[in-house]
Amino acid sequence: MTLRAGIIGFGVAGRYFHAPLLRAAGFSIPAVVTSKPAPAQEYLGDVDVLATAEELLARKDIDMVVIASPSPLHVAHAAAALRAGKHVVVDKPLAPTTAEVSELEHLATQSQRKLSVFQNRRWDSDFLTIRKLIEQGRLGKINSFHARWDRFRPQVSDRWRDRDEPGNGILYDLGTHLIDQTLLLFGQPEWLYANVFSQRENSVTADGFEILLGLGSLRITIGTCLLCADGGYRYRVNGSQASFLKAGLDQQEAQLRAGVEPDEHLFGTEPAEQWGTLVQGETGQREIITPETGRWVSFYEAMREAIEQDKPVPVSAAQAYDTIRIVEAALTSSAMGCRIDLQPAAPLVSR
């Protein structure tokens, strides 16, 4: 039986991220909720375009709901979908606070439904390559990890992302991707020091951040700036044997926006000019590393297995809790101008 997914929100995320990946993973999409029906009808063809989330949740031909609405609506839409007996995928961030993450996880457990967070950047080409190099031991013991996601977006736009509402701002947007990747590689840090700030004229949300995290002797820095014309290296990973340097951004978003489907040849591959470099510590010898192929569709393939075979979801609410916990600590550190020691988090069990 083909699983049937409904999408709440058919803007950039719904149209270019979720819909193509859902179809590539074997889901059908009977209905979407959007105020602009043309893009949905053009891409999906015979699809029911609905005006409200309530209409979608009332339907019996929907097994899973994908929340691709603005971030301030994620909690309300996810809670309603779970109460309606649907499995749920929420675009990041799951919620603005850890308390709300816990509430949604509790509701998912009560409803006996799967709840997952769309952290697609776990399946970026460059991140998969870094994970492989670390797992193979080619860098040795990691002593520092630096990840940046800089852009040149000097103008504040008249859109929901730039409004002063819960869950908005660059720390909840790009920041949650960088935090999730960091936690996946190294686990929970022991402490952090953060500066979360606004630099663009008329900005009412955070549009930049710098976070230093520590775990034993390991030092991790992550950051974003929206006034940077040259992002430089996206990643610098330094180990006891070698370093890995990587510039450029994973190609999957650009390919999807250009109309390339996830099952097409060369989808997820990176151009040779932005392949990363491994630098040996003793000799300085440089080696161009052939990257892994990026594969965002892996998220929805794992989500399908979670529903059909009762396997774990690809990104759990417990992992989302850990990410939002870092966000909350970073906001506190920035506001108080001090280091925050991170006590072990209380366990959050996810289906």
Side-chain angles (χ1 to χ4, degrees):
M1 176 181 172
T2 300
L3 288 172
R4 301 156 299 183
I7 305 175
I8 299 178
F10 209 75
V12 170
R15 165 59 182 89
Y16 293 107
F17 290 6
H18 297 285
L21 299 174
L22 283 163
R23 297 206 306 184
F27 288 82
S28 67
I29 307 174
V32 301
V33 177
T34 179
S35 61
K36 298 178 180 179
Q41 292 168 338
E42 178 184 353
Y43 182 65
L44 297 173
D46 186 21
V47 63
D48 293 336
V49 177
L50 309 176
T52 67
E54 290 75 18
E55 293 176 73
L56 180 69
L57 299 182
R59 292 177 61 134
K60 303 298 184 183
D61 62 342
I62 299 295
D63 304 301
M64 183 181 78
V65 173
V66 175
I67 312 297
S69 52
S71 296
L73 301 176
H74 284 183
V75 172
H77 282 158
L82 290 168
R83 292 191 181 100
K86 314 297 186 185
H87 302 288
V88 176
V89 168
V90 185
D91 210 321
K92 54 81 199 161
L94 176 58
T97 67
T98 51
E100 289 167 306
V101 173
S102 296
E103 290 169 6
L104 289 174
E105 171 59 15
H106 180 66
L107 186 55
T109 301
Q110 282 187 322
S111 306
Q112 296 186 320
R113 289 296 178 264
K114 300 292 185 178
L115 171 64
S116 189
V117 187
F118 186 64
Q119 284 284 7
N120 56 311
R121 297 294 176 172
R122 291 186 178 190
W123 292 274
D124 276 5
S125 171
D126 44 23
F127 184 68
L128 291 174
T129 303
I130 289 169
R131 287 194 73 179
K132 183 177 181 179
L133 289 172
I134 292 175
E135 290 167 0
Q136 291 177 335
R138 296 198 63 187
L139 304 178
K141 180 182 178 181
I142 306 303
N143 55 68
S144 65
F145 176 80
H146 310 278
R148 296 203 60 84
W149 199 335
D150 294 325
R151 291 173 167 174
F152 189 66
R153 304 280 177 82
Q155 302 301 321
V156 175
S157 64
D158 183 21
R159 58 176 187 160
W160 64 265
R161 291 183 185 276
D162 286 333
R163 295 171 189 155
D164 186 16
E165 297 179 7
N168 283 350
I170 204 69
L171 183 57
Y172 280 101
D173 185 13
L174 303 185
T176 53
H177 281 312
L178 294 176
I179 293 168
D180 179 73
Q181 289 183 344
T182 297
L183 295 177
L184 204 59
L185 288 176
F186 306 113
Q188 283 288 326
E190 296 167 338
W191 56 265
L192 66 77
Y193 186 91
N195 183 17
V196 184
F197 49 84
S198 297
Q199 290 184 310
R200 297 178 300 170
E201 186 177 356
N202 300 321
S203 178
V204 296
T205 63
D207 57 23
F209 66 87
E210 303 286 343
I211 305 176
L212 171 65
L213 307 104
L215 178 61
S217 61
L218 172 64
R219 294 296 178 267
I220 300 163
T221 61
I222 58 176
T224 294
C225 172
L226 296 183
L227 295 173
C228 187
D230 177 13
Y233 287 116
R234 276 269 286 139
Y235 296 99
R236 296 178 68 100
V237 191
N238 300 314
S240 59
Q241 297 179 20
S243 296
F244 181 69
L245 314 176
K246 175 66 176 64
L249 189 63
D250 178 271
Q251 296 293 295
Q252 290 173 92
E253 178 176 351
Q255 290 174 324
L256 289 168
R257 285 176 177 254
V260 182
E261 292 294 323
D263 57 357
E264 291 187 34
H265 182 56
L266 298 181
F267 183 84
T269 61
E270 289 202 318
E273 60 267 22
Q274 68 177 48
W275 289 7
T277 302
L278 186 75
V279 183
Q280 295 293 337
E282 290 291 338
T283 65
Q285 180 179 350
R286 303 172 76 87
E287 175 188 355
I288 303 299
I289 300 297
T290 303
E292 298 295 295
T293 299
R295 203 170 187 278
W296 291 356
V297 72
S298 295
F299 174 91
Y300 276 117
E301 290 174 342
M303 193 67 197
R304 189 188 66 216
E305 290 184 358
I307 295 170
E308 293 178 338
Q309 304 174 35
D310 196 29
K311 290 186 176 182
V313 296
V315 183
S316 68
Q319 292 172 320
Y321 181 97
D322 291 340
T323 294
I324 299 302
R325 180 170 174 255
I326 297 296
V327 170
E328 290 178 328
L331 292 171
T332 300
S333 171
S334 183
M336 298 180 63
C338 66
R339 167 174 147 161
I340 300 294
D341 291 324
L342 298 167
Q343 301 300 320
L348 183 65
V349 178
S350 293
R351 282 181 55 79

